[in-house]
């Protein structure tokens, strides 16, 4: 897929505008970033890395891609697309913060009556390498702490099961811009959690800092039947793989299939000053 250079990209070192030319991005100070195959730029500078390979590993990305490819989270993607269709404006810049392998941006790639400029970034280079194969967009290796986009350049920011940085989102969103946060609701994966944990913690809705205002919250709930391979992939794409005790993981491994509940909140917020 081709790399689309968004005109609001900034250098992660000095925040100067990045210009695209001859297959690379460069700023007036001379910092240059090549576009790697299959079509992404690495804008995560060395001084902002916490490890040599931050973010999801290649195995985690592979597991999530296999799980999502079976359509298990398609109802979430479809509902997100429906919500975006109703946002005013024929031309929108949509940023997926922590986009993983690009599943949700691909799902909204073609919305009726909308010209979308898609920007997806993730701290994991393995995720972005796979995302860049999905659809043409501005794919970046970058972090929520230092989003390489100019101030007030985004109409919509998506936070899909991510780790939000509201200060960064506030900076890049236009006034009256929208933030969509998808988070686990109370019963999300409850059957799996009851098997792997001795005590299940209750989840609650997320609170949001000013100047974000919650416009709407809706809950999407449905059931799935997962066989062992699906369960392995689901576990590998969640923090439960590292948090659950060995005894719980062993109980899950002995199951041939499991009926589970998908239960998520979709929060729509508007940026008001």
């Amino acid at each position: 897929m081709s790399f689309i250079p968004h005109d609001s990209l900034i250098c992660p070192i000095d925040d100067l505008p990045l210009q695209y030319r001859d297959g690379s991005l460069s700023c007036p100070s001379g910092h240059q970033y090549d576009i790697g195959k299959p079509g992404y730029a690495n804008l995560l500078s060395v001084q902002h890395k916490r490890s040599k390979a931050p973010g999801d590993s290649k195995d985690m990305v592979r597991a999530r891609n296999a799980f999502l490819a079976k359509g298990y989270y398609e109802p979430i993607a479809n509902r997100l697309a429906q919500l975006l269709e109703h946002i005013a404006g024929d031309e929108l810049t949509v940023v997926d913060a922590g986009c993983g392998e690009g599943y949700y941006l691909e799902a909204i790639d073609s919305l009726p009556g909308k010209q979308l400029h898609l920007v997806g970034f993730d701290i994991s280079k393995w995720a972005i390498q796979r995302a860049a194969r999905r659809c043409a967009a501005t794919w970046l290796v970058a972090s929520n702490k230092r989003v390489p986009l100019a101030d007030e350049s985004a109409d919509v920011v998506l936070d899909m099961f991510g780790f939000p940085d509201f200060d960064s989102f506030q900076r890049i969103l236009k006034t009256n811009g929208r933030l969509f946060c998808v988070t686990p609701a109370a019963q999300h994966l409850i059957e799996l959690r009851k098997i792997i944990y001795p005590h299940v913690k209750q989840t609650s809705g997320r609170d949001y800092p000013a100047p974000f205002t919650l416009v709407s919250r809706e809950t999407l709930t449905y059931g799935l039947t997962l066989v062992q391979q699906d369960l392995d992939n689901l576990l590998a794409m969640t923090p439960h793989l590292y948090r659950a005790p060995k005894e719980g993981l062993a109980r899950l491994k002995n199951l041939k299939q499991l009926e589970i509940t998908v239960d998520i909140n979709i929060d729509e917020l508007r940026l008001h000053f």
Side-chain angles (χ1 to χ4, degrees):
M1 293 294 179
S2 60
F3 175 83
I4 300 177
H6 197 277
D7 58 10
S8 295
L9 290 176
I10 59 174
C11 178
I13 297 176
D14 53 24
D15 295 337
L16 294 175
L18 287 173
Q19 299 294 324
Y20 178 75
R21 184 178 179 182
D22 298 330
S24 66
L25 297 166
S26 61
C27 77
S29 296
H31 302 119
Q32 184 167 317
Y33 309 91
D34 294 333
I35 307 302
K37 293 181 179 180
Y40 72 98
N42 192 333
L43 300 185
L44 185 65
S45 54
V46 174
Q47 59 266 43
H48 298 127
K49 289 184 178 181
R50 294 184 177 180
S51 65
K52 291 183 178 180
D56 290 348
S57 67
K58 187 182 292 188
D59 288 340
M60 292 174 69
V61 171
R62 185 185 299 115
R64 184 168 56 237
N65 189 70
F67 182 87
L68 294 174
K70 291 191 175 183
Y72 293 135
Y73 279 8
E74 187 174 336
I76 303 173
N78 290 342
R79 183 56 186 148
L80 179 65
Q82 291 169 358
L83 292 170
L84 292 179
E85 282 185 39
H86 293 94
I87 294 179
D90 298 332
E91 188 172 356
L92 300 173
T93 291
V94 180
V95 179
D96 190 349
C99 66
E101 65 300 308
Y103 176 77
Y104 295 102
L105 281 190
E106 183 184 37
I108 65 169
D109 187 24
S110 299
L111 289 183
K114 301 286 187 186
Q115 181 182 354
L116 299 183
H117 305 285
L118 303 179
V119 180
F121 69 85
D122 198 281
I123 201 170
S124 167
K125 69 176 183 179
W126 308 115
I128 290 299
Q129 286 175 2
R130 191 175 287 271
R133 297 184 176 93
R134 285 189 176 271
C135 61
T138 307
W139 297 110
L140 308 168
V141 178
S143 76
N144 275 342
K145 291 291 184 182
R146 293 184 64 85
V147 181
L149 289 170
D151 295 359
E152 299 184 40
S153 57
D155 298 285
V156 177
V157 171
L158 308 178
D159 173 49
M160 311 296 294
F161 302 102
F163 301 94
D165 187 293
F166 293 106
D167 289 339
S168 292
F169 296 168
Q170 177 182 335
R171 181 183 66 79
I172 66 172
L173 272 171
K174 299 176 183 177
T175 301
N176 291 321
R178 306 297 180 92
L179 170 62
F180 287 89
C181 292
V182 173
T183 59
Q187 298 301 306
H188 188 55
L189 311 184
I190 186 66
E191 298 84 0
L192 181 146
R193 291 188 285 135
K194 285 182 176 179
I195 290 172
I196 63 177
Y197 293 114
H199 304 286
V200 176
K201 295 181 179 180
Q202 293 298 315
T203 57
S204 58
R206 179 186 284 171
D207 295 323
Y208 299 99
F212 288 100
T213 301
L214 184 63
V215 175
S216 68
R217 169 174 290 168
E218 62 178 74
T219 302
L220 178 62
T221 306
Y222 59 94
L224 296 174
T225 301
L226 302 182
V227 298
Q228 182 60 60
Q229 186 61 57
D230 298 328
L231 292 170
D232 289 344
N233 288 332
L234 175 60
L235 194 64
M237 62 186 257
T238 69
H240 299 304
L241 179 62
Y242 305 101
R243 295 175 181 171
K246 292 181 180 179
E247 297 80 4
L249 295 177
R251 287 194 295 270
L252 187 67
K253 197 69 177 176
N254 288 330
L255 298 179
K256 292 184 178 180
Q257 70 176 41
L258 181 66
E259 304 285 334
I260 70 162
T261 300
V262 175
D263 186 34
I264 57 102
N265 289 324
I266 305 177
D267 291 350
E268 179 181 353
L269 300 102
R270 185 174 293 178
L271 183 62
H272 285 303
F273 292 99

